[in-house]
Amino acid sequence: MSYSKNATIVLVHGAWADGSSWELVIRKLQEQGWNVVTAPLPLTSLSDDAAALRRTIDRTEGPVILAGHAYAGAVIGTAHEERVKALVYIAALAPDEGETVAQVFYRDEPHPDAPKLAPDADGFIWMPDTGFEQAFAQNATDEQIAVTRAVQRPIAVKSIQEPVTAPAWKSKPSWYLIAEDDRMINRKTQRFMAERMHAMMESFPVDHTPLLTAPEKVVDIILEAAQSTLA
Protein backbone atom coordinates (compact mmCIF):
# COMPACT_ATOMS: atom_id res chain seq x y z
CA MET A 1 0.00 0.00 0.00
CA SER A 2 2.15 2.84 -1.23
CA TYR A 3 -0.22 5.51 0.04
CA SER A 4 0.17 4.32 3.64
CA LYS A 5 3.72 5.61 3.90
CA ASN A 6 2.76 9.28 4.32
CA ALA A 7 -0.68 8.83 5.87
CA THR A 8 -1.66 8.45 9.50
CA ILE A 9 -4.62 6.68 11.05
CA VAL A 10 -5.71 8.49 14.22
CA LEU A 11 -7.79 6.42 16.64
CA VAL A 12 -9.97 8.20 19.19
CA HIS A 13 -11.25 6.49 22.34
CA GLY A 14 -14.67 6.99 23.89
CA ALA A 15 -15.94 7.41 27.42
CA TRP A 16 -14.71 5.06 30.16
CA ALA A 17 -11.70 4.14 28.05
CA ASP A 18 -8.27 5.32 26.96
CA GLY A 19 -6.05 4.71 23.96
CA SER A 20 -5.25 1.18 25.12
CA SER A 21 -8.77 0.15 24.10
CA TRP A 22 -7.48 0.24 20.51
CA GLU A 23 -4.49 -2.05 21.19
CA LEU A 24 -5.56 -4.95 18.97
CA VAL A 25 -6.53 -2.62 16.13
CA ILE A 26 -3.23 -0.74 16.44
CA ARG A 27 -1.24 -3.93 16.17
CA LYS A 28 -3.12 -5.14 13.10
CA LEU A 29 -2.76 -1.80 11.31
CA GLN A 30 0.92 -1.49 12.17
CA GLU A 31 1.54 -5.00 10.87
CA GLN A 32 0.29 -3.75 7.51
CA GLY A 33 2.66 -0.80 7.54
CA TRP A 34 0.37 1.99 8.66
CA ASN A 35 1.33 4.93 10.84
CA VAL A 36 -1.06 4.83 13.80
CA VAL A 37 -1.53 7.13 16.78
CA THR A 38 -4.25 7.52 19.38
CA ALA A 39 -5.66 10.82 20.54
CA PRO A 40 -5.80 11.08 24.35
CA LEU A 41 -9.00 12.88 25.34
CA PRO A 42 -9.46 14.53 28.74
CA LEU A 43 -13.22 13.78 28.61
CA THR A 44 -13.87 17.07 30.42
CA SER A 45 -15.99 18.78 27.75
CA LEU A 46 -16.62 18.36 24.06
CA SER A 47 -14.63 21.54 23.37
CA ASP A 48 -11.69 20.26 25.45
CA ASP A 49 -11.79 16.92 23.64
CA ALA A 50 -11.96 18.60 20.22
CA ALA A 51 -8.90 20.68 21.15
CA ALA A 52 -7.05 17.53 22.25
CA LEU A 53 -7.84 15.88 18.93
CA ARG A 54 -6.55 18.93 17.05
CA ARG A 55 -3.28 18.74 18.98
CA THR A 56 -2.88 15.12 17.96
CA ILE A 57 -3.64 15.85 14.31
CA ASP A 58 -1.13 18.71 14.40
CA ARG A 59 1.57 16.22 15.38
CA THR A 60 1.05 14.26 12.17
CA GLU A 61 2.05 14.94 8.59
CA GLY A 62 0.23 14.09 5.38
CA PRO A 63 -3.32 12.80 5.02
CA VAL A 64 -5.24 11.54 8.06
CA ILE A 65 -7.98 8.95 8.53
CA LEU A 66 -9.91 9.45 11.77
CA ALA A 67 -11.68 6.62 13.57
CA GLY A 68 -13.78 7.23 16.68
CA HIS A 69 -15.50 4.84 19.07
CA ALA A 70 -18.78 5.66 20.84
CA TYR A 71 -18.61 9.19 22.35
CA ALA A 72 -15.58 9.92 20.16
CA GLY A 73 -17.87 10.08 17.16
CA ALA A 74 -18.91 13.53 18.31
CA VAL A 75 -15.24 14.46 18.71
CA ILE A 76 -14.09 13.36 15.25
CA GLY A 77 -17.04 15.29 13.88
CA THR A 78 -15.24 18.49 14.92
CA ALA A 79 -12.25 17.78 12.66
CA HIS A 80 -12.61 20.03 9.62
CA GLU A 81 -8.90 20.06 8.77
CA GLU A 82 -8.27 19.60 5.05
CA ARG A 83 -5.77 16.80 5.78
CA VAL A 84 -8.54 14.72 7.33
CA LYS A 85 -9.72 12.62 4.40
CA ALA A 86 -12.26 10.27 5.99
CA LEU A 87 -14.19 9.68 9.20
CA VAL A 88 -14.87 6.19 10.54
CA TYR A 89 -17.53 5.72 13.21
CA ILE A 90 -17.32 2.55 15.31
CA ALA A 91 -20.67 2.18 17.09
CA ALA A 92 -20.27 5.91 17.54
CA LEU A 93 -22.45 8.90 18.31
CA ALA A 94 -22.85 11.45 15.53
CA PRO A 95 -24.91 14.43 16.70
CA ASP A 96 -25.99 16.96 14.09
CA GLU A 97 -25.52 20.71 14.39
CA GLY A 98 -27.20 21.99 17.55
CA GLU A 99 -27.65 18.52 19.06
CA THR A 100 -25.88 17.14 22.11
CA VAL A 101 -24.34 13.73 22.65
CA ALA A 102 -26.96 13.05 25.31
CA GLN A 103 -29.79 13.71 22.88
CA VAL A 104 -28.64 11.10 20.40
CA PHE A 105 -27.49 8.65 23.08
CA TYR A 106 -30.96 8.59 24.64
CA ARG A 107 -32.88 8.81 21.35
CA ASP A 108 -34.22 5.23 21.54
CA GLU A 109 -35.10 2.92 24.38
CA PRO A 110 -32.17 1.52 26.40
CA HIS A 111 -31.26 -2.15 26.42
CA PRO A 112 -32.46 -4.02 29.54
CA ASP A 113 -28.83 -4.66 30.50
CA ALA A 114 -27.69 -1.08 29.94
CA PRO A 115 -25.98 0.36 33.04
CA LYS A 116 -27.61 3.02 35.18
CA LEU A 117 -25.49 6.11 34.68
CA ALA A 118 -25.44 9.18 36.90
CA PRO A 119 -22.83 11.86 37.65
CA ASP A 120 -20.89 11.97 40.90
CA ALA A 121 -20.54 15.05 43.10
CA ASP A 122 -17.87 16.45 40.75
CA GLY A 123 -19.99 16.10 37.63
CA PHE A 124 -18.26 13.00 36.23
CA ILE A 125 -20.01 9.84 35.10
CA TRP A 126 -18.36 6.54 35.96
CA MET A 127 -19.23 3.15 34.50
CA PRO A 128 -20.43 0.73 37.21
CA ASP A 129 -18.16 -2.31 37.48
CA THR A 130 -20.91 -4.63 36.23
CA GLY A 131 -21.49 -2.38 33.23
CA PHE A 132 -18.28 -3.50 31.53
CA GLU A 133 -19.20 -7.18 31.42
CA GLN A 134 -22.93 -6.69 30.88
CA ALA A 135 -23.03 -3.92 28.29
CA PHE A 136 -19.76 -2.17 27.43
CA ALA A 137 -18.13 -5.32 26.04
CA GLN A 138 -20.16 -8.37 26.96
CA ASN A 139 -18.27 -10.51 24.42
CA ALA A 140 -14.84 -9.66 25.83
CA THR A 141 -12.64 -12.07 27.73
CA ASP A 142 -12.39 -11.94 31.50
CA GLU A 143 -8.89 -10.51 31.14
CA GLN A 144 -10.07 -7.77 28.78
CA ILE A 145 -12.91 -6.87 31.14
CA ALA A 146 -10.53 -6.71 34.10
CA VAL A 147 -8.13 -4.38 32.30
CA THR A 148 -10.90 -2.20 30.87
CA ARG A 149 -12.43 -1.81 34.31
CA ALA A 150 -9.05 -1.00 35.85
CA VAL A 151 -8.17 1.78 33.38
CA GLN A 152 -11.61 3.35 33.00
CA ARG A 153 -11.74 7.12 32.77
CA PRO A 154 -14.96 8.95 33.61
CA ILE A 155 -16.64 11.42 31.31
CA ALA A 156 -17.87 14.84 32.42
CA VAL A 157 -21.53 15.68 32.10
CA LYS A 158 -20.40 18.81 30.21
CA SER A 159 -19.08 16.56 27.43
CA ILE A 160 -22.50 15.16 26.63
CA GLN A 161 -24.50 18.36 27.16
CA GLU A 162 -22.55 20.70 24.87
CA PRO A 163 -24.30 21.29 21.50
CA VAL A 164 -22.13 20.53 18.50
CA THR A 165 -21.32 22.89 15.67
CA ALA A 166 -21.68 21.90 12.01
CA PRO A 167 -20.18 18.37 11.93
CA ALA A 168 -17.42 17.37 9.54
CA TRP A 169 -19.40 14.37 8.28
CA LYS A 170 -21.47 16.81 6.24
CA SER A 171 -18.45 17.54 4.06
CA LYS A 172 -16.15 14.50 4.41
CA PRO A 173 -16.60 10.86 3.36
CA SER A 174 -17.80 8.79 6.30
CA TRP A 175 -18.04 5.11 7.20
CA TYR A 176 -20.09 3.57 10.00
CA LEU A 177 -19.79 0.18 11.72
CA ILE A 178 -23.16 -0.69 13.25
CA ALA A 179 -22.90 -2.95 16.28
CA GLU A 180 -26.06 -5.06 16.17
CA ASP A 181 -25.63 -6.45 19.68
CA ASP A 182 -24.80 -3.10 21.26
CA ARG A 183 -26.25 -2.72 24.76
CA MET A 184 -25.02 0.85 25.21
CA ILE A 185 -26.19 2.61 22.03
CA ASN A 186 -29.37 1.22 20.50
CA ARG A 187 -28.66 -0.22 17.06
CA LYS A 188 -31.70 1.66 15.74
CA THR A 189 -30.02 4.87 16.87
CA GLN A 190 -26.81 3.84 15.15
CA ARG A 191 -28.60 3.12 11.88
CA PHE A 192 -30.51 6.41 12.11
CA MET A 193 -27.25 8.34 12.50
CA ALA A 194 -25.44 6.41 9.76
CA GLU A 195 -28.28 6.96 7.31
CA ARG A 196 -28.55 10.63 8.19
CA MET A 197 -24.82 10.99 7.54
CA HIS A 198 -25.08 9.13 4.22
CA ALA A 199 -22.23 7.02 5.53
CA MET A 200 -21.00 3.81 3.99
CA MET A 201 -22.43 1.25 6.42
CA GLU A 202 -21.29 -2.16 7.62
CA SER A 203 -23.41 -4.06 10.15
CA PHE A 204 -22.17 -6.94 12.28
CA PRO A 205 -23.45 -9.01 15.26
CA VAL A 206 -20.87 -7.46 17.61
CA ASP A 207 -21.08 -5.74 20.98
CA HIS A 208 -20.51 -2.07 21.80
CA THR A 209 -16.73 -2.36 21.78
CA PRO A 210 -15.67 -4.39 18.72
CA LEU A 211 -12.20 -2.85 18.92
CA LEU A 212 -11.75 -5.33 21.78
CA THR A 213 -13.97 -8.19 20.67
CA ALA A 214 -13.91 -8.09 16.84
CA PRO A 215 -10.85 -6.01 15.91
CA GLU A 216 -10.62 -7.50 12.42
CA LYS A 217 -14.04 -5.99 11.57
CA VAL A 218 -12.84 -2.60 12.79
CA VAL A 219 -9.59 -2.83 10.84
CA ASP A 220 -11.46 -3.81 7.68
CA ILE A 221 -13.74 -0.77 7.71
CA ILE A 222 -10.85 1.59 8.54
CA LEU A 223 -8.87 0.20 5.62
CA GLU A 224 -11.90 0.47 3.36
CA ALA A 225 -12.09 4.16 4.20
CA ALA A 226 -8.36 4.59 3.67
CA GLN A 227 -8.30 2.77 0.37
CA SER A 228 -11.28 4.73 -0.92
CA THR A 229 -9.95 8.18 -0.03
CA LEU A 230 -6.17 7.87 -0.23
CA ALA A 231 -5.67 5.81 -3.39
Side-chain angles (χ1 to χ4, degrees):
M1 300 179 186
S2 60
Y3 48 74
S4 70
K5 300 302 181 184
N6 68 337
T8 302
I9 296 173
V10 177
L11 307 174
V12 192
H13 65 83
W16 309 298
D18 61 14
S20 67
S21 61
W22 290 95
E23 178 184 0
L24 297 177
V25 173
I26 293 169
R27 290 182 181 182
K28 291 178 182 295
L29 290 171
Q30 288 178 335
E31 287 170 0
Q32 298 192 42
W34 289 91
N35 303 314
V36 186
V37 298
T38 64
L41 304 183
L43 301 177
T44 47
S45 74
L46 182 58
S47 295
D48 290 347
D49 296 334
L53 176 57
R54 285 195 298 273
R55 289 193 294 271
T56 298
I57 294 172
D58 287 345
R59 294 179 54 242
T60 69
E61 297 181 358
V64 169
I65 302 296
L66 282 182
H69 173 238
Y71 162 73
V75 182
I76 68 173
T78 68
H80 292 275
E81 289 87 347
E82 183 179 353
R83 289 196 295 117
V84 175
K85 302 303 181 182
L87 306 174
V88 184
Y89 291 75
I90 307 299
L93 294 161
D96 202 347
E97 184 173 6
E99 290 180 338
T100 66
V101 169
Q103 284 175 320
V104 287
F105 182 78
Y106 292 109
R107 183 177 187 273
D108 290 293
E109 66 276 8
H111 190 277
D113 291 325
K116 306 301 181 185
L117 301 172
D120 64 15
D122 295 315
F124 284 89
I125 303 169
W126 294 83
M127 173 71 69
D129 280 353
T130 55
F132 288 103
E133 60 195 42
Q134 293 179 357
F136 188 80
Q138 71 268 17
N139 297 334
T141 65
D142 290 344
E143 181 181 5
Q144 287 176 317
I145 292 293
V147 172
T148 303
R149 184 186 294 127
V151 303
Q152 82 147 305
R153 298 174 61 242
I155 185 168
V157 172
K158 290 191 294 184
S159 296
I160 65 172
Q161 292 182 342
E162 182 179 341
V164 306
T165 56
W169 50 258
K170 290 190 171 182
S171 58
K172 296 183 184 294
S174 300
W175 278 255
Y176 199 110
L177 188 155
I178 296 172
E180 298 170 9
D181 296 335
D182 198 319
R183 298 178 182 178
M184 294 294 299
I185 303 172
N186 191 308
R187 65 181 178 184
K188 292 189 296 183
T189 302
Q190 294 182 44
R191 185 166 292 276
F192 163 77
M193 292 183 293
E195 291 177 347
R196 180 171 68 174
M197 295 161 61
H198 303 293
M200 299 292 291
M201 287 181 283
E202 298 282 352
S203 185
F204 300 105
V206 296
D207 62 20
H208 177 66
T209 313
L211 29 157
L212 288 178
T213 60
E216 66 285 346
K217 303 293 188 188
V218 176
V219 169
D220 285 349
I221 197 169
I222 292 173
L223 293 183
E224 181 181 333
Q227 292 160 1
S228 297
T229 56
L230 300 178

